[in-house]
Amino acid sequence: MDNMDNKVSWRLGKTLDGRYEMLSVLGIGGMAVVYKAFDHKLKRNVAIKVLRDDVAMDADSRRRFRTEYQAVGMLSHPNIRAVYDVVSTGDTEYIVMEYVDGINLKQYLKKKGSLSWRETLHFSTQIAKALSHAHSKGIIHMDIKPQNIILPKDGTAKVADFGIAQLEESEEDGSADEAVGSIHYISPEQARGEAVDARSDIYSLGVVMYEMLTGQLPFDGETVGEVAMKHFTVIPDAPTAINPDIPPELEEITLKAMQPDPNDRYRTADEMLADLEDFRKGQTASVGRAVKRALAENTPPMRDEVHVIYRNVPRVSTAGELSKEGYARRRARERRISNLLGFGLVLVFMLGLFGFVWNYWLGGIFSDAERTDVPNFIGSMVDEITSDEAMTSLFNFTVVYKADSVYEEGVITAQDPAAGTSRMIVSEGIDVQITVSSGIQLVEVPDLVNHPYTEAQVQLLALDLEVEIVLEESSSITENYVISTDPAAGTSVASGETVTLTVSAGPSVTYATVPDLVGMTKTEALLALQQEGLVCTESDITYVSSSASESGCVIWQNYSSGTQVVSGTAVYIQVGTGPSATATPAPTETPEIVTESSDTESDAGNVPEAVEGGETGDGTE
């Protein structure tokens, strides 16, 4: 855990590129870390995905990370997590994304077990729309699973994490050396390491729909290999065998998406979306259309006709053949009939077109739309509302569970739209999100002081508590460790409440101004440094020769006066010792008279020892 702390926590409290202040860790994956950050320029919370330090030097990880930001950079759709910016500065690459306040679909399934067919249809339609947009840009997600579907509080669904997405126009051949994706949702062709296309995402969506409808996975096993094999060797139980309340049409859509042979699945997300929309409108023609389409695709070509010539057949009589005048009259009559028939067909077509336009467009403009006021659901039991056919035929409910200390379990505590809001009645139902109390579930805040904040965060999230992190300078608590919690350890709180972690940002840093020491005596200089909170020991002092007036005084300092340095910094100085003594040669007893020609030789032979082996007059050796 400590090792992981160091990998992710060192960025907290820091600001990327002078703009994004890193606040907390939202999630840690095998390749990247997602942080919650505050954008000081646009004054909003964002999510920042950064390649983990321990894999940043791995070429394959960097390739996948770049593939992701190449992919998401081309996408813009309300059902895909928005990407605001992609930044590459030096060795750091990160993606700035929309911060979504909500839970993922897997967490929602754990709370509910299984979803109603209406909720399943609601989420499946939005995921299919997201896939349709991605596929239109040549991007295959390759890892559709509930963990990558985020559910904001507004009831929408957003597809996230294109970490292993494949670009159809990339230089790769579309196959993989190893299976990628989550094994319970992976398509058979991915499990075998074969080429993939958009139909692989459709298969994964089918598995997600199966899990939403039944509350269980279609394939499970003790090992990864066992689960992978079942994708292309085992036929899963029919969803209606697990949950008889599932509409047969929705079951057929789910099972068609999950066909092990890609050719038997929906060819495109748009094709699957069309069947979902037909089902939503209450039509049952989806199965018939699918059968007709399959027959049209698989009907063998007709054989060439066999012409048989029979012998001894009498010649056809020419009696009754028309004259030229009769033929002309017949042709004129046929032409009139043809014109009348053509005019009639055009008239029928125009009337049909007008009827279609009136029913689906003009009728709504020139007639008052039927409207209704949203009732007040707050205080009612969720089971009573969602089982009332009169309500479910008019409204499309999305249920969100939340711990509540006021309302008992199962009671509706909030709704959107608010009660009394006027809405137009539509065939697919008016969307209403209701928040339901999961009751009071008291948990005890653990003792997290002096624990790494990431470890503390994991413990609190496991207790279904929200976490808020506040940084505070401390000289007694190690950086990135918890100073205190609010509420304090041992306090009983309701699940879903927020616990504030005060985390050490390390000791505070103070600065000192370096004084002007040149000209001071050594004692004066040491006292001046001490008063400023700076350090200078005997080992930091160098003694050098100087002029007589500078003897005993500071003649040089390593920091210029006025420089701001951290308190406690060592300052180096040089102190003058005065001029160096000049060596004097010993006098000769009697000057020796020599001839002019021997001057040079005598001078060379009488160089004093002090000059040859000692110090020179300028003080250098």
Side-chain angles (χ1 to χ4, degrees):
M1 178 65 72
D2 290 342
N3 190 29
M4 183 58 70
D5 291 342
N6 295 332
K7 293 174 183 175
V8 303
S9 63
W10 67 272
R11 284 193 174 92
L12 292 179
K14 300 185 184 302
T15 303
L16 286 180
D17 295 327
R19 176 173 178 179
Y20 303 108
E21 181 183 355
M22 311 298 261
L23 302 177
S24 62
V25 177
L26 295 177
I28 303 172
M31 189 175 69
V33 183
V34 180
Y35 297 89
K36 178 182 177 182
F38 184 73
D39 182 350
H40 284 278
K41 183 176 181 180
L42 298 179
K43 307 301 181 186
R44 63 182 178 184
N45 289 325
V46 295
I48 294 186
K49 188 171 188 177
V50 186
L51 196 63
R52 272 176 38 187
D53 294 338
D54 56 331
V55 298
M57 301 308 294
D58 178 60
D60 185 61
S61 296
R62 294 184 74 88
R63 177 186 61 79
R64 288 187 180 183
F65 192 73
R66 287 170 181 169
T67 297
E68 176 174 7
Y69 66 66
Q70 287 173 4
V72 296
M74 295 188 286
L75 302 178
S76 178
H77 192 274
N79 294 120
I80 296 177
R81 186 179 203 167
V83 172
Y84 301 140
D85 199 5
V86 176
V87 183
S88 179
T89 56
D91 295 331
T92 303
E93 294 177 292
Y94 59 92
I95 305 171
V96 184
M97 304 176 293
E98 172 188 12
Y99 173 69
V100 182
D101 186 10
I103 61 175
N104 63 47
L105 180 56
K106 192 67 172 182
Q107 293 169 320
Y108 190 54
L109 283 169
K110 285 182 178 178
K111 285 180 177 287
K112 297 200 64 177
S114 64
L115 307 185
S116 68
W117 68 263
R118 288 184 178 274
E119 281 189 288
T120 300
L121 176 64
H122 176 71
F123 293 137
S124 301
T125 300
Q126 295 184 71
I127 298 169
K129 289 179 180 178
L131 291 179
S132 172
H133 178 72
H135 294 167
S136 71
K137 303 294 184 181
I139 299 167
I140 306 166
H141 190 284
M142 294 180 67
D143 198 18
I144 292 294
K145 59 184 178 181
Q147 293 89 332
N148 286 339
I149 309 299
I150 305 175
L151 308 180
K153 293 181 178 179
D154 62 3
T156 60
K158 291 180 179 286
V159 177
D161 197 350
F162 283 74
I164 61 174
Q166 176 181 302
L167 305 178
E168 289 183 335
E169 297 180 355
S170 67
E171 296 179 357
E172 298 175 9
D173 62 2
S175 61
D177 296 331
E178 57 178 320
V180 292
S182 298
I183 199 65
H184 288 98
Y185 307 91
I186 198 171
S187 67
E189 56 269 26
Q190 281 177 271
R192 290 192 292 260
E194 297 174 354
V196 299
D197 57 24
R199 293 171 297 181
S200 300
D201 283 347
I202 292 172
Y203 180 91
S204 299
L205 174 54
V207 177
V208 173
M209 290 178 64
Y210 188 105
E211 186 178 6
M212 285 193 287
L213 289 169
T214 65
Q216 63 187 51
L217 291 162
F219 307 111
D220 208 350
E222 296 182 357
T223 65
V224 170
E226 182 182 349
V227 177
M229 285 291 294
K230 286 184 177 181
H231 279 284
F232 45 84
T233 59
V234 175
I235 298 176
D237 294 333
T240 50
I242 303 170
N243 181 4
D245 295 331
I246 299 171
E249 297 88 352
L250 191 57
E251 179 185 59
E252 290 184 15
I253 294 173
T254 303
L255 294 178
K256 180 171 181 177
M258 286 178 57
Q259 288 297 309
D261 185 348
N263 295 320
D264 295 333
R265 299 175 207 152
Y266 290 101
R267 292 172 295 182
T268 64
D270 286 335
E271 191 176 288
M272 183 177 181
L273 188 59
D275 276 2
L276 289 170
E277 290 295 341
D278 283 350
F279 171 72
R280 181 191 291 275
K281 295 173 183 177
Q283 299 177 0
T284 59
S286 58
V287 176
R289 186 177 66 254
V291 171
K292 290 179 181 179
R293 186 164 56 242
L295 289 174
E297 293 170 355
N298 298 319
T299 302
M302 297 181 63
R303 297 181 180 178
D304 295 337
E305 295 182 4
V306 179
H307 299 276
V308 181
I309 301 175
Y310 296 94
R311 298 180 182 277
N312 303 319
V313 176
R315 185 172 182 270
V316 178
S317 173
T318 59
E321 289 186 353
L322 295 174
S323 63
K324 288 185 178 180
E325 292 78 6
Y327 176 76
R329 286 194 299 272
R330 175 178 286 184
R331 288 285 296 169
R333 184 169 62 252
E334 290 174 348
R335 190 177 297 109
R336 287 195 300 272
I337 293 172
S338 177
N339 289 339
L340 288 172
L341 182 62
F343 176 77
L345 290 174
V346 170
L347 181 60
V348 170
F349 173 78
M350 293 299 294
L351 290 173
L353 179 62
F354 178 78
F356 174 82
V357 172
W358 178 265
N359 288 332
Y360 290 93
W361 185 29
L362 295 179
I365 296 176
F366 294 103
S367 62
D368 293 332
E370 190 176 359
R371 303 181 70 86
T372 186
D373 290 340
V374 178
N376 182 15
F377 299 114
I378 297 175
S380 302
M381 298 299 294
V382 65
D383 291 340
E384 296 176 0
I385 298 299
T386 56
S387 62
D388 186 340
E389 291 186 3
M391 289 296 179
T392 55
S393 64
L394 193 58
F395 299 100
N396 182 27
F397 292 107
T398 299
V399 181
V400 177
Y401 286 87
K402 185 177 181 181
D404 196 289
S405 58
V406 177
Y407 291 91
E408 66 180 17
E409 184 177 359
V411 176
I412 299 174
T413 63
Q415 66 181 73
D416 185 21
T421 304
S422 178
R423 286 288 186 269
M424 186 171 63
I425 297 176
V426 291
S427 59
E428 60 267 26
I430 301 169
D431 289 335
V432 175
Q433 177 177 296
I434 52 179
T435 303
V436 179
S437 170
S438 59
I440 302 175
Q441 300 172 12
L442 295 178
V443 293
E444 187 175 295
V445 178
D447 184 6
L448 302 172
V449 175
N450 261 330
H451 285 65
Y453 87 93
T454 48
E455 178 184 320
Q457 188 176 36
V458 169
Q459 289 189 45
L460 293 174
L461 292 175
L463 294 172
D464 201 20
L465 295 171
E466 298 293 327
V467 180
E468 182 177 343
I469 294 177
V470 176
L471 296 177
E472 182 179 295
E473 294 176 344
S474 173
S475 57
S476 59
I477 302 294
T478 306
E479 185 177 1
N480 294 325
Y481 277 61
V482 177
I483 299 174
S484 64
T485 62
D486 184 20
T491 305
S492 293
V493 296
S495 60
E497 289 194 11
T498 300
V499 175
T500 301
L501 294 177
T502 302
V503 179
S504 170
S508 59
V509 178
T510 59
Y511 293 89
T513 303
V514 178
D516 185 2
L517 306 174
V518 176
M520 292 185 181
T521 65
K522 170 184 168 182
T523 302
E524 291 171 341
L526 293 179
L527 181 59
L529 290 172
Q530 184 179 7
Q531 290 174 344
E532 292 293 336
L534 300 172
V535 175
C536 183
T537 63
E538 191 63 35
S539 61
D540 300 325
I541 303 173
T542 304
Y543 298 91
V544 297
S545 59
S546 64
S547 64
S549 61
E550 295 174 332
S551 179
C553 297
V554 178
I555 62 174
W556 174 86
Q557 60 189 77
N558 65 326
Y559 290 107
S560 301
S561 63
T563 303
Q564 293 285 319
V565 296
V566 177
S567 296
T569 299
V571 178
Y572 299 92
I573 60 176
Q574 290 181 353
V575 176
T577 60
S580 301
T582 303
T584 303
T588 55
E589 295 180 1
T590 304
E592 184 178 350
I593 299 174
V594 294
T595 60
E596 186 176 346
S597 60
S598 61
D599 283 347
T600 303
E601 188 177 335
S602 298
D603 291 342
N606 291 305
V607 176
E609 266 185 38
V611 175
E612 279 192 275
E615 295 183 351
T616 61
D618 61 358
T620 60
E621 293 185 356

